[in-house]
Amino acid sequence: MPTPESEAFLAKKPTVPPTFDGVDYNDTPRLKAAQDSIIKEQWVKSMMNRLIRQELQKCYYREGVNHLEKCGKLRERYFETLPDAKVKGYLFQQQNYVPGREDPVGQDQVSAGLDRQADGVMATVPEKVAKEKGDERL
C-alpha cells in the first residue's frame, strides 16, 4: 500500500474539488472527474462516521454503566457526522446545480422536511397538521 507521500498516492489523489462549480457539462472527462470526486468525498465521510461509531461502541463496552460520562465527546462527534454519513450520489447535485450557490436548489427544503401545500406555499409538516386541527400554539 502506498504511503501518503509517495508518487502512487499523489497520482490517485483527486485534483478536482467535490463540486460542479465551473464544470462544463459537455466536457465529459471533467464531468466524470467531478462526479468521482463527489462520490469519493461522500465515501470518506461515511467511513469516518463508521470509525467514530466503532470507537463509540468500544467506549460503551469498556466503560459500562459510566458510558454517559466517559463517552460524551465521541457521542457528540458521532451525531455531528451522522447527517453526512450516507452516500447519496451525485445526480441530485448535478441536475439541480445553480452557479454560485453552495447547496443545490431544493436541498434545504428536502433536508428541512418541508411539504408543499395545494396553493403552492411552503410550510413545515407540524404547522400544516396544527392548521388542520385548529391548533394556534405553533
Side-chain angles (χ1 to χ4, degrees):
M1 183 168 167
T3 62
E5 295 83 20
S6 69
E7 294 295 325
F9 178 81
L10 294 176
K12 291 182 180 182
K13 188 175 181 181
T15 57
V16 181
T19 180
F20 288 106
D21 192 24
V23 175
D24 181 18
Y25 286 94
N26 294 326
D27 187 10
T28 306
R30 287 195 64 208
L31 180 64
K32 291 296 178 188
Q35 291 172 349
D36 288 344
S37 177
I38 288 171
I39 292 294
K40 285 178 184 178
E41 186 69 25
Q42 289 176 0
W43 271 104
V44 166
K45 289 179 181 178
S46 178
M47 293 298 117
M48 180 65 78
N49 186 274
R50 180 184 289 180
L51 291 172
I52 294 170
R53 184 179 63 234
Q54 288 173 351
E55 289 299 316
L56 184 61
Q57 288 172 344
K58 290 177 189 176
C59 183
Y60 276 7
Y61 181 76
R62 181 179 60 244
E63 299 300 333
V65 295
N66 295 327
H67 70 85
L68 292 174
E69 296 173 1
K70 305 286 184 173
C71 305
K73 291 181 182 178
L74 275 175
R75 184 177 56 247
E76 291 301 319
R77 188 163 177 209
Y78 177 70
F79 283 130
E80 287 173 1
T81 60
L82 196 58
D84 297 329
K86 185 175 180 184
V87 177
K88 300 174 186 170
Y90 56 82
L91 282 179
F92 183 81
Q93 292 178 356
Q94 182 177 340
Q95 293 171 352
N96 298 301
Y97 175 72
V98 175
R101 186 172 169 152
E102 183 74 22
D103 290 336
V105 175
Q107 184 66 36
D108 50 350
Q109 286 90 2
V110 171
S111 63
L114 298 177
D115 188 23
R116 184 171 298 278
Q117 291 181 352
D119 59 352
V121 177
M122 298 297 285
T124 60
V125 176
E127 289 176 356
K128 187 176 179 182
V129 172
K131 275 186 184 178
E132 291 172 358
K133 291 183 178 180
D135 191 4
E136 296 299 323
R137 289 182 287 173
L138 294 176

